[in-house]
Amino acid sequence: MLKPDKIREWDTKEIRARIDEEEEELEELRFRHATGLTESNPMLLRTKRRDIARLKTILNEKTAEEA
């Protein structure tokens, strides 16, 4: 789980890159969960979604400050 204080230390490029990585991981987890290829933990999907939301929220805060 990503901590908001730690994320706020990153610049916008790092946050955008991390959002892309997390979304790719989430897509892969959803695929594995849907096909039943492996035992995936449903809580892991929830955690990924929340991390992405947290990243996007902080990114919006940073872009609002810059404007």
Side-chain angles (χ1 to χ4, degrees):
M1 184 165 90
L2 300 170
K3 300 291 182 183
D5 294 336
K6 189 72 170 173
I7 298 170
R8 285 188 176 95
E9 294 174 1
W10 302 343
D11 65 348
T12 55
K13 288 182 182 181
E14 286 177 298
I15 295 173
R16 285 189 178 108
R18 188 61 186 256
I19 289 171
D20 291 339
E21 290 173 17
E22 292 289 329
E23 286 178 341
E24 286 177 18
E25 289 177 20
L26 178 62
E27 185 176 335
E28 185 178 319
L29 284 171
R30 282 182 178 157
F31 177 76
R32 281 193 274 152
H33 183 73
T35 58
L37 292 175
T38 60
E39 285 291 321
S40 63
N41 185 355
M43 286 301 292
L44 189 56
L45 293 170
R46 179 179 177 185
T47 304
K48 287 288 179 192
R49 283 195 315 267
R50 287 184 176 194
D51 284 344
I52 292 169
R54 190 173 293 118
L55 286 163
K56 287 181 177 182
T57 299
I58 293 172
L59 180 64
N60 286 337
E61 288 174 2
K62 285 186 168 278
T63 54
E65 286 176 3
E66 293 172 359

